[in-house]
Amino acid sequence: MAKRRVKVLDTTLRDGEQTPGVALAPEQKLEMARALDDLGVDIIEAGAAITSEGERQAIKLISNAGLDAEICSFVRALRSDVDAALACDVDSVHLVVPTSDIHLKHKLKKSRQEIKRISLDATRYALDHGLVVEFSAEDATRTDPTFLQEFLSAAAKEGAQRVCVCDTVGVLTPERANELFSKLTKIVKVPVAAHCHDDFGMGTANTIAAVKAGAQEVHVTVNGLGERGGNAALEEVVLALTHFHGIKTRIKLNKLYSISKLVERNTGLPVSPTKAVVGENAFAHEAGIHTHGVLAYPPTYEPISPEVVGQHRKIVFGKHVGTHAIENELKRMGLKPTKKQVQAIFEQVKQLGDRGKLVTDTELRVIVDAVMRRTLEEVVKLDELTVVSGNKVTPTASVRIKFEDKEVVESGVGVGPVDAAMDAIRKVIEGTSNIRLQAYHVDAISGGTDAMVDVVVKLTDGRRIVTARGTSGDIIMASVQAMLNGVNRLLWDRKLGGA
Ligand code: KIV
Ligand code: ZN
């Protein structure tokens, strides 16, 4: 029997953008829409056209970008909203109408029959203007089930091509989802979508239950962005559908990690390291015993291989590290240490771990070099750093750097002094290497304004990724140090032609 396939409507650019603190510029939305299209989503809810001029600009750009996905705008049951969507050249509208008595009484102050009449009028108007209509009942899971059925059936009869049940405040459970969607998908004559929120951490489970009960479309966001606890996460829903239920989507699983990173970058909302599928720790192993197992036979501690979702396995060195992990990493680096050397490296890593530190790969290399008497010459060395910052001045930094035998002077500007210093260093290395900063993380080690800060950067030269640390009482120095440590690591490895 052919496998079932469900459609994916991604609402990162609408519901995801409603995450407090997130606002996307039109170019960012376009970049994300292209990536969503490339990922394989069927429908992109690009925004709500009525919101603002910038939003309309973004939706129009996306509509006219030649993407395969259907481009959709959120609208209320108002002709003016539909007109705004039409002006943005969208293929479809997500026409949303509150249906619970709570919303009707306290928000809209309208009766059930009044709202039904208004919604059907807006549906007819959108259809008459050539739009596909996905008709959504907001707060559907707190709506009288008999009215919900009547309402969605009426929309389908009016001509809406799809309907959607919104679990607006995340109060569904898999059992209730099964009951509700089993009934609705039998009664309503068009495909039914599930739009679940994660207020109780059940967004993914409820979406899966809805699909198993007959829903033919899922609404999701990348990284589970969205208001309050967020929406059901695209990466979790799609992976669970595929892996556990053999239900197909058009999503290319191996692009899940990269789109998560793009969304993280553009929204400025960091993904929790322990986030399923796309978190930095989703395929990271530290405990000695786990590392031994996973290196011997990956399925011992990995339910799927990281490459399936575009991730890679990370062995993190810390206080739980085992000698196997160290030996394996040294082998990966192309080194052949003696048993005594492995033991010495192991002890030093443990000591750092006991002081509450995770050992970055760069620090591990420093330990390895010291134990195995490999000398790391600093390819890039800071001679001088000057930073100017304050109110009413553009933060500026100038650096004098020894780069191999040459002395290079550069300056940079930024949103703050750290950014300016990083900009100056980036200019120094830009000419000779294609090293890029992928991530920057800062932690205060102690409290107070004199706190020691610990900066960890992730750099890549397109071939390798390294993490490096800088620690100082001065955040600018810590950042510069971390950056130079990482750059040196990459350049040195390149010279050696090693890992
Ligand atoms: O969660 C919800 O109910 C929504 C609708 C406005 C579609 O996002
Ligand atoms: Zn929502």
Side-chain angles (χ1 to χ4, degrees):
M1 199 172 73
K3 277 190 183 169
R4 225 183 117 195
R5 179 167 97 72
V6 295
K7 280 193 175 179
V8 174
L9 178 148
D10 180 276
T11 181
T12 310
L13 301 179
R14 198 275 301 169
D15 227 351
E17 202 193 12
Q18 286 172 220
T19 309
V22 173
L24 298 162
E27 306 70 45
Q28 288 179 310
K29 280 201 163 196
L30 178 62
E31 185 188 16
M32 290 158 82
R34 285 194 202 281
L36 288 166
D37 190 53
D38 186 41
L39 181 73
V41 310
D42 299 278
I43 306 154
I44 297 173
E45 188 174 23
I50 198 70
T51 307
S52 67
E53 195 43 53
E55 185 79 337
R56 284 187 282 284
Q57 199 189 326
I59 300 175
K60 203 164 179 176
L61 276 173
I62 295 169
S63 297
N64 293 305
L67 307 182
D68 288 335
E70 173 185 315
I71 308 303
C72 173
S73 168
F74 168 100
V75 294
R76 295 166 298 174
L78 294 171
R79 290 182 175 211
S80 51
D81 277 30
V82 175
D83 287 339
L86 280 167
C88 295
D89 307 330
V90 295
D91 303 305
S92 62
V93 284
H94 179 205
L95 197 151
V96 181
V97 187
T99 49
S100 68
D101 288 341
I102 302 177
H103 279 233
L104 290 178
K105 184 167 167 216
H106 299 283
K107 192 169 91 172
L108 295 187
K109 306 200 188 325
K110 294 212 183 319
S111 71
R112 291 181 182 178
Q113 292 317 313
E114 257 179 296
I115 198 67
K116 189 171 150 193
R117 188 184 50 70
I118 294 168
S119 318
L120 296 182
D121 174 70
T123 302
R124 174 67 13 231
Y125 184 73
L127 291 168
D128 286 347
H129 284 80
L131 292 164
V132 167
V133 175
E134 176 155 339
F135 187 92
S136 258
E138 184 183 5
D139 207 19
T141 50
R142 292 191 298 179
T143 298
D144 167 22
T146 313
F147 177 57
L148 182 65
Q149 264 175 39
E150 173 194 325
F151 191 70
L152 295 179
S153 299
K157 209 158 152 225
E158 189 66 36
Q161 286 88 344
R162 309 185 291 263
V163 297
C164 173
V165 172
C166 296
D167 184 25
T168 303
V169 291
V171 292
L172 216 46
T173 60
E175 294 74 21
R176 276 197 63 220
N178 178 41
E179 203 182 319
L180 183 63
F181 282 85
S182 297
K183 275 199 194 127
L184 285 173
T185 51
K186 282 190 193 88
I187 291 165
V188 181
K189 299 285 177 259
V190 294
V192 180
H195 178 111
C196 297
H197 278 266
D198 209 29
D199 297 69
F200 285 79
M202 312 272 270
T204 298
N206 291 333
T207 307
I208 303 293
V211 170
K212 286 192 70 196
Q216 281 142 289
E217 182 187 310
V218 293
H219 285 202
V220 285
T221 57
V222 175
N223 297 341
L225 291 185
E227 286 177 278
R228 307 181 313 280
N231 288 58
L234 181 149
E235 57 278 6
E236 294 173 13
V237 168
V238 166
L239 189 63
L241 283 175
T242 317
H243 190 74
F244 295 126
H245 304 289
I247 294 174
K248 289 203 294 189
T249 66
R250 287 181 55 241
I251 300 297
K252 297 175 192 126
L253 296 180
N254 64 354
K255 299 207 165 182
L256 289 175
Y257 180 66
S258 59
I259 196 147
S260 160
K261 286 287 145 212
L262 172 68
V263 170
E264 182 179 50
R265 214 167 41 243
N266 281 1
T267 59
L269 278 191
V271 174
S272 160
T274 52
K275 167 82 186 62
V277 188
V278 293
E280 283 308 312
N281 287 0
F283 298 95
H285 310 274
E286 186 197 343
I289 187 152
H290 282 195
T291 312
H292 185 187
V294 93
L295 292 174
Y297 184 57
T300 47
Y301 291 103
E302 282 173 357
I304 56 164
S305 93
E307 289 72 23
V308 169
V309 294
Q311 283 251 45
H312 63 275
R313 180 175 308 128
K314 293 160 210 132
I315 302 297
V316 178
F317 302 94
K319 69 191 258 187
H320 302 107
V321 75
T323 43
H324 273 99
I326 300 230
E327 265 174 333
N328 195 70
E329 181 62 9
L330 296 178
K331 199 160 127 201
R332 204 185 64 78
M333 291 174 177
L335 303 175
K336 292 197 181 83
T338 63
K339 284 260 172 265
K340 225 169 134 193
Q341 285 171 329
V342 171
Q343 188 58 28
I345 294 164
F346 171 71
E347 277 162 21
Q348 290 196 35
V349 171
K350 282 266 184 202
Q351 273 169 20
L352 279 171
D354 275 342
R355 281 197 262 134
K357 292 218 175 209
L358 276 188
V359 180
T360 68
D361 41 10
T362 300
E363 286 162 335
L364 178 69
R365 292 293 293 253
V366 172
I367 295 172
V368 170
D369 293 336
V371 170
M372 297 184 70
R373 300 195 203 296
R374 288 152 51 100
T375 45
L376 169 62
E377 62 196 75
E378 282 183 289
V379 186
V380 180
K381 194 165 176 228
L382 181 71
D383 270 350
E384 225 177 85
L385 167 72
T386 315
V387 179
V388 182
S389 180
N391 110 4
K392 296 196 182 154
V393 287
T394 304
T396 311
S398 60
V399 290
R400 182 190 302 278
I401 279 180
K402 198 153 310 110
F403 196 146
E404 295 179 319
D405 296 332
K406 284 181 265 137
E407 194 177 83
V408 191
V409 178
E410 266 298 353
S411 61
V413 289
V415 291
V418 171
D419 197 32
M422 297 303 233
D423 187 46
I425 293 173
R426 189 181 50 72
K427 284 183 184 159
V428 174
I429 53 175
E430 204 165 50
T432 32
S433 64
N434 58 346
I435 296 173
R436 276 185 303 109
L437 179 67
Q438 272 197 337
Y440 172 92
H441 180 81
V442 61
D443 264 332
I445 298 173
S446 50
T449 51
D450 60 347
M452 286 296 284
V453 291
D454 192 35
V455 172
V456 176
V457 295
K458 196 191 270 188
L459 300 174
T460 181
D461 61 359
R463 209 169 56 90
R464 293 198 57 211
I465 298 175
V466 297
T467 45
R469 167 180 277 128
T471 307
S472 166
D474 176 336
I475 187 171
I476 304 168
M477 280 315 295
S479 306
V480 167
Q481 221 180 64
M483 185 86 171
L484 293 182
N485 286 345
V487 169
N488 273 316
R489 178 83 271 151
L490 283 169
L491 294 178
W492 195 59
D493 283 348
R494 210 182 279 177
K495 262 187 163 181
L496 285 180

